[in-house]
Amino acid sequence: MAGILYIVPTPVGNLEDMTLRAIRVLKEADLILAEDTRTTSVLLKHYDIHRPLQSHHKYNEHQTVELVKERILGGLNVALVSDAGTPGISDPGFLLARTCAEEGIEVQTLPGATACIPAIVSSGLPCDRFAFEGFLPQKKGRQTLLQSLAEESRTMLFYESPYRLVKTLEQFMQYFGPERRCSVAREISKLHEEHKRGTLAEVVAWFREHEPKGEIVIVVAGAQPVKPSKQKRYGRGEEETQQP
């Protein structure tokens, strides 16, 4: 009988965010796949978990995915973790999950930690509908994507490096307008968690004066829908006019 692939979220900051189920699954797994075995070893030691650990990251997943699949088909239960958060969300995991799903292997993804949801809920911006964009392309396609997002009406979420934050916010001002509301969440669930809210102009001015550090999530308000202009129709021979 084939085993199961478990996709296990891990804390993005505070180790207490680990769920009881995630701890149990990792303790019972035949093999744990980790984005960085050094980072995961710290977590496993904290929770007294002693299971075989193997590296699985974006640079080797294309070479290892078939081997992992065969081991699961052979009966092993495998748990996949990333350095922080939920695997597959801007982290390795999609390729293995797709390969196993296509093979008919059971894939169980545990609910748990991720940085984007606390960021949008804490932002004060609408969170009933949102668009998760992850990391923007660094070069090719970046401007085209930003142009397409200028009219996006849903709240938008982006991951960004602290070293590129100011440049990205400046580009957002260019494409979305300086008065668009936003919130920059820094160090979610960690000791120095911070949320800086305001217009894009206000927030970029703040970070020009205060060097950002740590993990960053940018939340940007969606575009306001354009109200249709009121029209008044006149009788035959009179021109149709638009009222402001």
Side-chain angles (χ1 to χ4, degrees):
M1 179 182 293
I4 297 173
L5 172 64
Y6 293 97
I7 298 178
V8 183
T10 54
V12 297
N14 195 320
L15 291 181
E16 293 180 359
D17 292 337
M18 195 75 170
T19 69
L20 295 175
R21 184 184 174 200
I23 295 170
R24 177 183 60 78
V25 167
L26 291 179
K27 285 186 173 182
E28 295 176 355
D30 297 304
L31 175 66
I32 298 173
L33 301 178
E35 183 179 7
D36 187 324
T37 56
R38 296 166 298 180
T39 300
T40 300
S41 293
V42 175
L43 177 71
L44 299 184
K45 182 179 180 180
H46 182 81
Y47 285 104
D48 195 28
I49 299 171
H50 306 280
R51 305 305 301 157
L53 193 60
Q54 179 178 315
S55 177
H56 183 86
H57 47 72
K58 65 179 181 180
Y59 300 109
N60 73 355
E61 62 179 347
H62 286 85
Q63 289 73 43
T64 60
V65 64
E66 288 297 324
L67 177 61
V68 172
K69 181 192 74 174
E70 292 302 322
R71 298 186 74 176
I72 297 174
L73 287 173
L76 293 188
N77 290 325
V78 173
L80 173 67
V81 300
S82 60
D83 289 348
T86 301
I89 305 299
S90 293
D91 277 329
F94 162 72
L95 181 61
L96 181 59
R98 182 182 66 181
T99 299
C100 289
E102 290 177 345
E103 191 67 32
I105 293 170
E106 183 176 355
V107 178
Q108 291 190 18
T109 300
L110 280 60
T114 186
C116 60
I117 299 303
I120 188 174
V121 174
S122 297
S123 72
L125 297 171
C127 53
D128 54 334
R129 298 171 64 246
F130 58 88
F132 176 73
E133 295 295 330
F135 287 98
L136 289 167
Q138 287 307 300
K139 294 181 180 179
K140 186 177 180 180
R142 186 181 180 94
Q143 292 184 350
T144 301
L145 177 58
L146 289 174
Q147 287 173 347
S148 71
L149 293 175
E151 302 302 322
E152 172 60 64
S153 62
R154 295 170 294 178
T155 302
M156 296 173 284
L157 290 159
F158 304 88
Y159 286 163
E160 189 51 282
S161 159
Y163 309 109
R164 296 190 296 264
L165 176 62
V166 170
K167 178 182 177 181
T168 296
L169 291 174
E170 289 172 342
Q171 288 182 317
F172 286 175
M173 283 202 301
Q174 177 185 349
Y175 288 94
F176 305 155
E179 297 305 310
R180 186 78 70 91
R181 304 293 298 181
C182 76
S183 173
V184 173
R186 189 179 66 83
E187 296 289 81
I188 291 286
S189 88
K190 297 180 182 177
L191 181 62
H192 299 291
E193 179 174 338
E194 176 186 59
H195 299 263
K196 183 56 61 176
R197 307 174 182 89
T199 64
L200 282 168
E202 291 168 342
V203 173
V204 76
W206 168 268
F207 283 109
R208 283 172 180 158
E209 298 296 326
H210 302 81
E211 182 182 1
K213 297 179 180 180
E215 301 293 327
I216 301 288
V217 184
I218 309 172
V219 186
V220 181
Q224 293 296 314
V226 178
K227 296 181 180 179
S229 59
K230 295 181 180 179
Q231 295 183 342
K232 182 177 180 179
R233 296 185 179 274
Y234 293 84
R236 182 179 298 178
E238 297 184 54
E239 293 183 357
E240 178 183 288
T241 63
Q242 290 186 343
Q243 297 180 349

